[in-house]
Amino acid sequence: MPYPTDRERDRPWVMRTYAGHSSAAASNELYRRNLAKGQTGLSVAFDLPTQTGYDADHPLAKGEVGKVGVPIAHIGDMRRLFDGIPLAEANTSMTINAPAMWLLALYVTVAEEQAREQGRDVDEVLAKLTGTTQNDIIKEYLSRGTYIFPPAPSLRLITDVIAWTVHHVPKWNPINICSYHLQEAGATPTQEVAYALSTAIAVLDAIRDSGQIELADMGKVVGRISFFVNAGVRFVEELCKMRAFTKLWDEITRERYGVENPKARRLRYGVQVNSLGLTEAQPENNVQRIVLEMLAVSLSRDARARAIQLPAWNEALGLPRPWDQQWALRMQQVLAFETDLLEYEDIFAGSHVIESKVDEIAEGAREEIARVQELGGAVAAVESGYMKSQLVSSLAEYRRGVESGERVIVGVNKFETTEPSPLQAEGAKAIETVDAAVEKEAVAALEEWRQQRDNAAVEASLAELREVAKTTENLFEATLKCARAGVTTGEWSQALRDTFGEYRAPTGVSAASMGGEAAELSRVRDRVRAAGQELGERLRILVGKPGLDGHSNGAEQVAVRARDVGFEVVYQGIRLTPDQIAAAAVQEGVHVVGLSVLSGSHLEVVPEVVDRLRAAGAGDIPVIVGGIIPPDDAKVLTDRGVARVFTPKDYELTEIMDEIVTVIRETQGLAQE
């Protein structure tokens, strides 16, 4: 790492860019280019099939392969991803949760192979591996949606990974407790701290009670627990949040787990600043948002992040180009190397304003942690739907503030006049696009892999995995055997699905209420009621999440607002096939289908829903879609029969409801008022 060696400056944080797309080869090229530009760590984005344990040829993977990250199906892909990158010298963050054990096993296997090729001692190389597997399944149930198994076996997988790494890969962070997506799902600073620490308590209790770690070694476990947080644009509040986080983590690990070493109790965290806070409208404003959010987690030395990754200015438009990622990296480098930030002790020490806000957040978080513990802990609070409903309600309150104008978003609900942007000028190709051939190539490569491997060894390793899964034995060694044998991501996951089952988390929608501007809400409610009376039945909307996109916040808020204006809402959660959505629409007799897609698969999955409805004789049910959809793609969708396309610039949910009523009246042949 190119850290300064003098004692007068704090060392810079690890600088990363969250990256990966199309294929292992394309992503490897991107990583090498970024490292050559001075990036000091890798942050691997995996595609949604990989994150949810499917191979590229699974029906649910259609349209999703290589879109939001790199597809990794087997050890061959992992070798290609890190070709020419010595893992013993790398610092790699892998954003993977449900199949974290599997991806880490592939990574470890590649590191072992590199050691043998170089004639080095394998154990010595494993002891040098540094990096992080996110591996936080609880926040997946609450926000991001890339879970596979029920909570209990998921917690077992986490426990087994932690125990194995403490013994074999001691510098690795086996879990990255991730409050990032909690904030995206609506968490206040207090909730973000409370629910992340409640997750940490659940994990540490499980490790302590598993018998796989000696109580005297709990300090080693605590010392390898890391966090991954979100930094929003209210940077003073965010700074205070991190100081409160640091204070409470020290308190919990000392009092609950008896960790005496203050170094082991230090809050070790990385940051991705708030991607969902970036705007499609006037996207150039995102540059200053990103810088302010970076300051929130770097200004306070006593609570400074040890790794930071920044989004690009145009991520609200689509996949950023290499140049955009370079710009984001340069923002970090200017702060770390040109300014005097790292030359001082904590500049907020003794500030009564900061300390007051820190105490306020810490006390609120203590109370909420206690409430979760009273419910039986984080897992029980997930299963009961308590934490999810709290987040949905908080996000509804945030959206109410945006819609009313109380919470200003420059360029969106205030200061909306704008000049044409040279960054998006015609011919500038403002975003990266993934070639449609990527998926076909991945499927073909997967078939070739299955034909050339030793399938007897594959079946034997999967049989052993299933047997071990039925016991309480640690699953990591059996997983390593699968990785070495050439098992695929989908095969490993399916073997555990067969044993553990699959899970659908509570949506939190039924317990939430949004409200809004009373006059406008009342007017639209009257329109919903009138249309229902003319049709002789209550208006019904199906809100669907086709494909593997688990970012359900928008769909949940649409469902809540639709219910508030008088619709009967059918919302079955995430990860549905077009067939399932069409069948539910017909069975429930809905008047409109609303789809939410944020993963870039809209051109594949949305027309398929339209086609399935037509095939079922329900082609008169209009389909609307919302998501990150470029204008050219929106035209393609409307040409394919989609009634309306909404993007993040359409932030007024009540106006969207009003337009949905208009769509229903059009398709039902009702006179427009």
Side-chain angles (χ1 to χ4, degrees):
M1 297 298 176
Y3 295 144
T5 56
D6 65 87
R7 299 287 181 177
E8 296 179 2
R9 286 171 57 89
D10 189 20
R11 69 185 178 110
W13 49 90
V14 176
M15 299 180 189
R16 293 186 171 119
T17 304
Y18 183 56
H21 65 84
S22 300
S23 67
S27 297
N28 174 266
E29 182 182 339
L30 179 62
Y31 296 161
R32 290 198 194 199
R33 194 158 60 229
N34 286 346
L35 289 169
K37 292 174 181 174
Q39 186 174 298
T40 55
L42 295 173
S43 181
V44 181
F46 295 95
D47 73 352
L48 286 175
T50 304
Q51 292 184 50
T52 50
Y54 292 109
D55 289 329
D57 57 355
H58 191 280
L60 271 171
K62 185 176 182 181
E64 307 280 15
V65 177
K67 284 286 172 60
V68 302
V70 57
I72 297 296
H74 45 69
I75 186 63
D77 286 341
M78 191 65 89
R79 289 177 188 132
R80 187 69 189 87
L81 185 65
F82 292 104
D83 183 38
I85 300 173
L87 299 189
E89 282 76 53
N91 188 307
T92 307
S93 169
M94 295 193 284
T95 301
I96 200 76
N97 294 285
M101 178 182 285
W102 172 245
L103 272 298
L104 180 58
L106 292 176
Y107 188 87
V108 166
T109 302
V110 171
E112 291 174 338
E113 292 175 350
Q114 288 185 355
R116 294 189 186 99
E117 288 169 5
Q118 297 163 10
R120 299 174 64 180
D121 181 82
V122 170
D123 291 336
E124 177 191 332
V125 168
L126 294 187
K128 289 185 175 181
L129 293 184
T130 58
T132 302
T133 31
Q134 195 169 99
N135 204 16
D136 175 3
I137 204 64
I138 289 178
K139 71 94 173 47
E140 295 298 320
Y141 300 131
L142 295 174
S143 53
R144 192 160 166 268
T146 63
Y147 53 80
I148 301 175
F149 314 112
S154 294
L155 194 58
R156 174 189 170 185
L157 287 170
I158 292 170
T159 300
D160 286 357
V161 168
I162 294 172
W164 190 88
T165 54
V166 165
H167 293 307
H168 299 280
V169 194
K171 291 186 178 180
W172 191 266
N173 300 331
I175 186 169
N176 201 215
I177 294 169
C178 183
S179 70
Y180 176 87
H181 298 96
L182 301 182
Q183 186 180 122
E184 286 194 339
T188 64
T190 296
Q191 289 172 329
E192 186 180 344
V193 173
Y195 295 161
L197 291 177
S198 293
T199 297
I201 289 169
V203 169
L204 287 172
D205 281 0
I207 281 284
R208 180 193 61 196
D209 300 340
S210 72
Q212 298 190 65
I213 297 289
E214 297 290 334
L215 288 179
D217 287 336
M218 281 302 290
K220 293 181 181 178
V221 175
V222 167
R224 299 321 306 173
I225 302 292
S226 64
F227 291 80
F228 188 68
V229 306
N230 200 333
V233 77
R234 291 171 57 84
F235 74 96
V236 174
E237 186 174 60
E238 294 291 329
L239 185 152
C240 293
K241 176 188 77 180
M242 294 319 306
R243 290 173 73 93
F245 224 138
T246 300
K247 180 178 183 178
L248 289 175
W249 179 242
D250 184 80
E251 184 179 295
I252 289 168
T253 53
R254 183 181 66 252
E255 296 178 3
R256 190 178 183 98
Y257 303 106
V259 178
E260 296 296 333
N261 183 352
K263 185 176 180 181
R265 298 198 308 266
R266 184 184 303 154
L267 182 79
R268 303 163 67 254
Y269 77 97
V271 176
Q272 161 85 21
V273 308
N274 189 12
S275 293
L276 279 192
L278 305 181
T279 64
E280 178 187 16
Q282 299 181 23
E284 62 276 6
N285 294 335
N286 294 330
V287 175
Q288 52 264 36
R289 290 188 179 105
I290 292 166
V291 171
L292 287 169
E293 290 164 350
M294 174 174 56
L295 290 175
V297 293
S298 58
L299 283 177
S300 175
R301 181 168 182 169
D302 291 348
R304 182 172 291 150
R306 295 317 316 171
I308 298 176
Q309 56 192 48
L310 303 182
W313 68 278
N314 57 348
E315 286 198 18
L317 307 177
L319 191 65
R321 302 157 298 185
W323 183 86
D324 307 312
Q325 293 188 341
Q326 174 182 295
W327 193 359
L329 176 62
R330 296 295 184 246
M331 292 178 199
Q332 295 200 58
Q333 291 169 330
V334 168
L335 181 64
F337 298 110
E338 290 192 28
T339 78
D340 58 352
L341 174 68
L342 300 180
E343 295 174 10
Y344 299 97
E345 296 300 314
D346 197 292
I347 60 177
F348 298 99
S351 166
H352 65 275
V353 174
I354 296 294
E355 291 306 317
S356 175
K357 186 64 178 177
V358 169
D359 289 344
E360 176 191 329
I361 294 173
E363 187 53 38
R366 282 193 195 97
E367 292 173 4
E368 190 63 13
I369 291 169
R371 195 170 295 117
V372 169
Q373 294 306 304
E374 287 170 8
L375 291 171
V379 171
V382 165
E383 293 173 326
S384 69
Y386 169 75
M387 286 201 288
K388 182 64 174 178
S389 65
Q390 293 296 107
L391 295 178
V392 174
S393 295
S394 293
L395 186 56
E397 179 61 21
Y398 170 85
R399 291 196 64 92
R400 187 202 63 76
V402 172
E403 291 180 8
S404 69
E406 293 173 35
R407 184 180 288 264
V408 172
I409 301 180
V410 173
V412 175
N413 64 357
K414 197 166 186 176
F415 312 116
E416 298 168 58
T417 57
T418 186
E419 297 295 330
S421 169
L423 293 172
Q424 301 178 76
E426 186 176 350
K429 196 190 176 192
I431 58 172
E432 189 89 13
T433 55
V434 175
D435 193 319
V438 162
E439 186 167 316
K440 292 180 181 178
E441 291 168 359
V443 171
L446 185 63
E447 182 59 32
E448 182 182 352
W449 176 264
R450 288 182 179 135
Q451 290 177 358
Q452 56 88 27
R453 67 185 181 179
D454 183 345
N455 283 296
V458 166
E459 290 304 320
S461 65
L462 287 171
E464 181 176 345
L465 179 69
R466 291 188 187 96
E467 288 305 309
V468 175
K470 295 173 186 176
T471 72
T472 59
E473 186 181 335
N474 190 299
L475 281 161
F476 204 95
E477 289 293 340
T479 295
L480 276 174
K481 290 180 182 178
C482 289
R484 293 162 183 157
V487 167
T488 69
T489 297
E491 291 165 344
W492 178 86
S493 299
Q494 189 58 48
L496 295 184
R497 280 184 171 97
D498 293 340
T499 306
F500 298 149
E502 290 192 77
Y503 187 69
R504 295 196 70 80
T507 66
V509 168
S510 61
S513 178
M514 182 179 289
E517 292 301 289
E520 181 66 8
L521 201 68
S522 178
R523 186 186 70 80
V524 177
R525 191 177 288 131
D526 288 343
R527 290 196 72 205
V528 171
R529 186 184 303 112
Q533 288 171 347
E534 291 179 59
L535 291 172
E537 57 183 339
R538 187 178 174 190
L539 294 191
R540 289 184 295 281
I541 180 172
L542 184 149
V543 178
K545 290 285 297 175
L548 297 176
D549 171 29
H551 285 86
S552 59
N553 304 333
E556 289 154 3
Q557 295 303 304
V558 167
V560 171
R561 182 58 61 91
R563 191 190 64 203
D564 285 351
V565 298
F567 278 93
E568 181 181 327
V569 178
V570 179
Y571 177 56
Q572 299 171 322
I574 63 171
R575 218 178 298 167
L576 299 171
T577 65
D579 276 336
Q580 289 172 321
I581 291 172
V586 172
Q587 183 177 347
E588 299 288 345
V590 301
H591 300 96
V592 63
V593 171
L595 304 178
S596 169
V597 185
L598 295 172
S599 66
S601 63
H602 45 268
L603 291 181
E604 291 84 7
V605 297
V606 174
E608 194 167 342
V609 172
V610 174
D611 293 344
R612 292 291 184 272
L613 286 170
R614 289 171 178 166
D620 58 335
I621 300 177
V623 174
I624 62 174
V625 61
I628 300 174
I629 301 173
D632 290 347
D633 289 1
K635 185 179 185 306
V636 172
L637 292 174
T638 54
D639 290 345
R640 285 294 309 274
V642 173
R644 297 288 191 279
V645 176
F646 299 101
T647 67
K649 69 177 182 296
D650 304 301
Y651 68 92
E652 291 272 10
L653 286 178
T654 305
E655 288 184 8
I656 292 175
M657 295 301 122
D658 193 37
E659 187 64 20
I660 291 173
V661 177
T662 299
V663 169
I664 293 173
R665 296 190 71 89
E666 289 173 355
T667 56
Q668 293 288 337
L670 303 179
Q672 296 297 337
E673 315 96 320

